[in-house]
Amino acid sequence: MNIVVCLKQILDPEMPSRDFRIDAATREADRGTAGLVMNIFCANALETALQFREQHGGKITVVAFGTSSAEEILRKALALRVDTAVLVQHDFAQRPNPWVAARVLAATIRKLGDFDIILTGRESGDWGDGQTGGLLAEEFSWPCVSFADQLNTDATKPGLVKIRRQTDQGSETVEANVPLVITVTNNDQNVPRIAKTRDVMQAFRQPLTNWSLADIGLDKQSLEECLTGTEVVELTIPIKQAHCELVTGETLEERIAGLAQRIVAVVQSA
Amino acid sequence: MTSVVISCVFTWTGIDRAALGVLGAGQRLAQELSGRHTILILGSPSDDLVAEVARFADCVQVMSDPMLANYHSETTLTALTEACRQLNPAVILLGNDSYCQEMAPRLAHRLKGSATGDALSLKAEGEAVLVTRSVYGGKALATFALRRKPAVIWVRARAYDPARPQDASAEIVHMQLKIEEDQRVVLIDRQTQPQDAARLEDARVIVSGGRGLGGPEPFTHLQSLASAMGAQVAASRAACDAGWVPAGWQVGQTGKKVAPELYLAIAISGASQHIMGIADAKTIAAINLDPDAPIFHHCQFGLVDDYRKVVGPLREKIIELLA
Ligand SMILES: Cc1cc2nc3c(=O)[nH]c(=O)nc-3n(C[C@H](O)[C@H](O)[C@H](O)COP(=O)(O)OP(=O)(O)OC[C@H]3O[C@@H](n4cnc5c(N)ncnc54)[C@H](O)[C@@H]3O)c2cc1C
Ligand SMILES: Nc1ncnc2c1ncn2[C@@H]1O[C@H](COP(=O)(O)O)[C@@H](O)[C@H]1O
């Protein structure tokens, strides 16, 4: 099968809260000295695709829509031996929201050819929208299975994939016809692998397609309606007022007794 | 024209605390807009269910079909889209369970509207709906103006005050829509937790473990501590990703959003993404080896020590105090 994995570059979500600043004027995070990384759920999606290819063959194309720096996450994917990498560049001052991203990714994927499966992450670690996968499905009028954590196929059932997805109450297994969109969530089986040093070196020499919006038949104007539907009007850093009282005591035994008392007081009044 | 605010209720969840929160959010938003609060019930509702929700709205639209009795990512969405299309809403509210999260953006796309989710608060402002939610993994708070109608919003359901009974009883309409089953996706198995296992979202006390536990085995000790406290056990993403506990135990931005009276975090550092899941907890407490762990910025009380020395004796002491 032919798989596309959509990869988004984001501000390192693991940066400590105390270093996090915002630019109130642009209503964006201030990058400061923080790194840019591949969104973790994109990495889970890529891992899912790599395992699928190992078992069932096929090709993996990775696509990123971002600024020039996003080449880095595509090189990372090339180091994990994906077949093709495509960067669609923009220089928007405003954040491209999921509606813009879905429109652009759909146009990109159409231009690249026929695919069976599009994988996205369940959500981005920066703005946490969790929309792009579903919107992509709508752009293609394909079905969408969300929060998947396992992907399989059976040679005796061509054109069908078996997907396990997480639900609030547990999990579901579905069988779906390709083409479709799948959004991926984390579990212990799709923890991203680490590239071999040799492959990392080689990835820098690998070809990488670099397209502008014009190359995929779009311009900023045609995306205007996607940009204006929702607008970020305010961005603030919430103030935390919790004051933690550490239980004290001469001995550990006393401290544990103190903790137990506090716990029991809350549990009994609950 | 009066604005229509639709709150969606699905019969597979019924009227639980989350549904009441969605209805409460819809009721108040409709008041702000001087609009009409319409509850859309989708699935195969009993008359009792319809009567129960009728107290909370101006109008109840019932979309009943045996085919809709269980959630199906495509068929349910098609039915929901067609029902909403007939009602020409300004706003559509859904809960934040995984099914609703899956449908909301697609519904908005089909209705040529706008969408955002995990809303902590809603406000009408002129023609737009203002939605506030956490972004950057809980490090910032953003307000979005949704300008294109309908505004499809999934809300942090349990954080909203429940709906209140209204004076006048609602008009009840049974919708007649022909929906075809979508065969492109077929459910072959549904695993749900045993009925007696309370939902984490509804748990009143939670004991949660993180990477610092070092393996799956310590979770059994947490389990006995939890039993002594009448608590449920949960975990951080790191513990779930390690395969120590099931993925369904994950609490946080992309896990369960819990609201217990007490959340006891053991060997969890307190990353902002984890905190996002416990923002509605009344009291947070922690046991952590590291006095500088961020979790202590969110706690009311805590103990700095090795959990291995604490958990067993703590359990004994709690049993003693509760006896
Ligand atoms: C987009 C995105 C979404 C995410 N969603 C979630 C989510 O939903 N839920 C979630 O939990 N995380 C989520 N994360 C991950 C999050 O950023 C953290 O990586 C994760 O919460 C860390 O888990 P932890 O606290 O168990 O592990 P760590 O950060 O490694 O902390 C372990 C803690 O254990 C303590 N410790 C070690 N040994 C002992 C001992 N013997 N006794 C006592 N204490 C000890 C240490 O001092 C440390 O504080 C998300 C991340 C991203 C990017
Ligand atoms: N600019 C982008 N480039 C590539 N993929 C994206 C982009 N934006 C979103 N996605 C995909 O959509 C998923 C969900 O993103 P979001 O809707 O922004 O939360 C991500 O994990 C990516 O797989």
Side-chain angles (χ1 to χ4, degrees), chain A residues 46-91:
Chain A
L46 180 56
E47 177 61 35
T48 304
L50 289 165
Q51 289 177 19
F52 187 89
R53 189 182 61 180
E54 274 158 17
Q55 294 196 349
H56 309 291
K59 291 226 168 345
I60 302 175
T61 301
V62 291
V63 179
F65 170 52
T67 53
S68 56
S69 63
E71 180 177 330
E72 201 178 304
I73 60 168
L74 293 174
R75 294 275 172 217
K76 229 178 148 176
L78 284 167
L80 294 171
R81 298 175 156 261
V82 301
D83 299 282
T84 311
V86 182
L87 172 63
V88 180
Q89 272 200 48
H90 70 72
D91 52 4

Side-chain angles (χ1 to χ4, degrees), chain A residues 6-8 39 42 63 65 101 105 120-121 123-124 129-132:
Chain A
C6 300
L7 302 179
K8 183 178 172 187
N39 179 34
C42 298
V63 179
F65 170 52
L105 292 169
T120 73
E123 73 180 57
S124 304
D129 287 293
Q131 296 194 34
T132 309

Side-chain angles (χ1 to χ4, degrees), chain B residues 212-232:
Chain B
L213 292 180
E217 214 263 322
F219 270 95
T220 58
H221 303 304
L222 256 57
Q223 190 83 59
S224 11
L225 173 63
S227 307
M229 292 163 63
Q232 298 256 103

Side-chain angles (χ1 to χ4, degrees), chain A residues 9-20:
Chain A
Q9 190 183 43
I10 63 168
L11 188 70
D12 184 359
E14 307 250 351
M15 79 186 280
S17 297
R18 62 170 185 277
D19 297 336
F20 184 79

Side-chain angles (χ1 to χ4, degrees), chain A residues 177-195:
Chain A
N177 286 285
V178 299
L180 87 164
V181 175
I182 301 171
T183 84
V184 176
T185 193
N186 62 297
N187 79 348
D188 60 336
Q189 299 301 309
N190 64 17
V191 176
R193 68 188 67 187
I194 292 166

Side-chain angles (χ1 to χ4, degrees), chain A residues 259, chain B residues 263-266 268 284-288 295-296 299 301-304:
Chain A
L259 181 65
Chain B
Y263 186 87
L264 176 60
I266 302 179
I268 290 177
I284 299 172
I287 301 170
N288 198 304
I295 187 76
F296 288 120
C299 281
F301 59 94
L303 176 63
V304 178

Side-chain angles (χ1 to χ4, degrees), chain B residues 17-49:
Chain B
R17 176 65 185 83
L20 284 171
V22 176
L23 298 183
Q27 191 175 47
R28 288 184 294 273
L29 191 64
Q31 267 160 20
E32 261 186 65
L33 288 162
S34 308
R36 194 170 155 81
H37 185 217
T38 297
I39 297 176
L40 172 61
I41 306 185
L42 200 137
S44 62
S46 64
D47 293 343
D48 286 351
L49 183 78

Side-chain angles (χ1 to χ4, degrees), chain B residues 16 44-45 75 81 94 98 100 172 186 205 239 282 309 320:
Chain B
D16 58 1
S44 62
T75 311
T81 309
L94 297 147
S98 49
C100 288
I172 295 174
V186 178
V205 184
K282 290 265 163 48
K309 291 192 252 158
E320 189 186 307

